[in-house]
Amino acid sequence: MSGVIPTAPEQPADEKDNQIKSPDQRPDAPPDYNSHFVPGPPGPAVPAPAGYAGGLPMGYNSPQQPGTFFSYQPAGGAHPIQYQPGKYHMSNQPVSVTWMPGPPPIPNCPPGLEYLTQLDTIHVLQHFEPLEMITSFETNNGYDIKNNLDQMVYIVNEDTDDFTRNAYRTLRPFVLRVTDCMGREIMTMQRPFRCTCCCFCCPSTRQELEVQCPPGVTIGFVAEHWNLCRAVYSIQNEKKENVMRVRGPCSTYGCGSDSVFEVKSLDGVSNIGSIIRKWNGLLSAMGDADQFEIHFPLDMDVKMKAMIFGACFLIDFMYFERSPRRSSR
């Protein structure tokens, strides 16, 4: 009949539900963790940026290719980027977070570290996990990295399997993935497992952190030094040559005050910067949500800024990470 619009036959309610529901999307399994570092991808696979000798690992796009890291520039240049609702890891509610405007590419600067060239202070804010305190189940740590204007610079997420986290707790080996506003992983930090049950002065028990930027290209290490009364670390380059030292307070568990870790030259004379664990009242005493403030010279080599940034996380896991209480039975 003319004038009658054909319609699709109605489907049973069960079939409609099956079409709407989709299988759960679960993340890929995290890498295996053992007593060695996770090896990076082999060699450069694409041409490196002009003046950058480190090269880019396989799978990391070249700036000459479309859709790569360097092709991203914020609209208008001066307007901050707004975080998209539903992608923010901290809150269950859609929120709008202001991101630091993306700087242009810089020669001799690893991709993604251009932000650090404009900063002399960064704030590390750990996510508070109330469910972790209630259930005593250790979860992956998450951190927001912000500048002095409260603009987001990076997001850091731990990538460790459930068994490793809950079996080794604060001594666990881990992988921390640093992502930018577009969700690109621009830095990877890895800590191998080191047993501390034997002699503390043995080199095999000293904690270590490897920093890769971009992922797969090692730019340095943070190595612990045994000391009787305070925390001492060496910041090393990719050849494991000592460049700077980090000297902590005699008591890192101070209650009611900040804990200051001084970044000094190798001779111990010059003060270069600092890593400060901020006291945040009851949240610092009872919760597992630490806040750090990192200071370094504005004109400092960007790789060394990244190494001081990495040292902050090793310090957090070693001295300020609190495992949930287990029920005593």
Side-chain angles (χ1 to χ4, degrees):
M1 298 175 62
S2 60
V4 179
I5 301 177
T7 58
E10 294 187 358
Q11 298 178 351
D14 294 340
E15 295 183 5
K16 291 183 178 179
D17 294 339
N18 292 336
Q19 292 180 359
I20 296 175
K21 296 180 180 179
S22 58
D24 293 337
Q25 299 296 329
R26 302 186 181 276
D28 295 334
D32 295 332
Y33 299 93
N34 48 46
S35 59
H36 303 285
F37 289 121
V38 179
V46 294
Y52 177 49
L56 296 176
M58 183 176 295
Y60 198 91
N61 293 327
S62 168
Q64 287 81 12
Q65 298 175 351
T68 62
F69 181 88
F70 283 114
S71 64
Y72 162 72
Q73 292 184 0
H79 299 285
I81 305 164
Q82 299 297 322
Y83 204 94
Q84 296 298 321
K87 296 183 179 180
Y88 187 53
H89 302 278
M90 181 65 179
S91 174
N92 293 328
Q93 300 296 331
V95 292
S96 179
V97 178
T98 303
W99 282 82
M100 179 178 174
I106 299 176
N108 301 318
C109 178
L113 295 189
E114 295 89 353
Y115 293 90
L116 297 183
T117 61
Q118 302 180 358
L119 301 175
D120 60 1
T121 301
I122 53 179
H123 302 268
V124 179
L125 311 175
Q126 184 177 358
H127 297 175
F128 177 62
E129 298 291 347
L131 187 62
E132 181 177 296
M133 298 180 61
I134 298 173
T135 63
S136 298
F137 184 84
E138 189 77 30
T139 59
N140 278 321
N141 286 358
Y143 305 83
D144 290 340
I145 314 303
K146 297 185 177 182
N147 59 16
N148 281 334
L149 300 178
D150 202 36
Q151 295 174 330
M152 193 82 76
V153 182
Y154 300 122
I155 289 179
V156 180
N157 286 304
E158 180 185 358
D159 184 5
T160 310
D161 63 88
D162 293 339
F163 173 79
T164 301
R165 283 197 315 273
N166 290 275
Y168 297 100
R169 299 284 171 165
T170 59
L171 294 177
R172 63 184 182 263
F174 60 72
V175 173
L176 296 178
R177 306 190 185 278
V178 184
T179 56
D180 63 356
C181 63
M182 302 298 290
R184 299 185 179 96
E185 183 178 349
I186 55 96
M187 186 189 305
T188 302
M189 293 176 278
Q190 303 183 61
R191 175 198 188 187
F193 176 73
R194 297 291 173 86
C195 179
T196 59
C197 59
C198 56
C199 180
F200 288 98
C201 59
C202 179
S204 62
T205 65
R206 298 174 189 171
Q207 300 299 313
E208 188 177 63
L209 181 79
E210 179 186 3
V211 180
Q212 300 176 359
C213 184
V217 178
T218 301
I219 63 172
F221 299 85
V222 181
E224 179 192 20
H225 286 269
W226 185 83
N227 190 281
L228 185 61
C229 63
R230 66 175 71 242
V232 178
Y233 301 88
S234 285
I235 294 181
Q236 305 170 338
N237 59 18
E238 67 277 6
K239 299 179 181 179
K240 287 202 169 185
E241 300 171 341
N242 294 337
V243 180
M244 295 176 289
R245 290 191 180 274
V246 179
R247 185 172 179 266
C250 290
S251 176
T252 57
Y253 300 96
C255 181
S257 61
D258 298 343
S259 299
V260 181
F261 294 77
E262 300 175 334
V263 182
K264 293 180 170 288
S265 58
L266 289 179
D267 55 14
V269 176
S270 303
N271 289 325
I272 299 176
S274 61
I275 302 171
I276 305 174
R277 190 256 188 170
K278 307 294 291 183
W279 174 255
N280 196 24
L282 291 178
L283 193 60
S284 296
M286 301 180 62
D288 188 15
D290 296 312
Q291 298 185 12
F292 289 87
E293 216 174 74
I294 304 176
H295 301 273
F296 35 59
L298 183 63
D299 59 350
M300 187 179 194
D301 179 72
V302 69
K303 291 184 180 180
M304 291 300 103
K305 288 185 178 183
M307 293 308 304
I308 297 176
F309 175 61
C312 173
F313 294 96
L314 183 59
I315 290 172
D316 181 35
F317 273 85
M318 288 187 63
Y319 296 102
F320 304 109
E321 178 73 8
R322 291 179 176 84
S323 295
R325 294 183 179 178
R326 299 184 180 182
S327 58
S328 57
R329 293 183 180 178

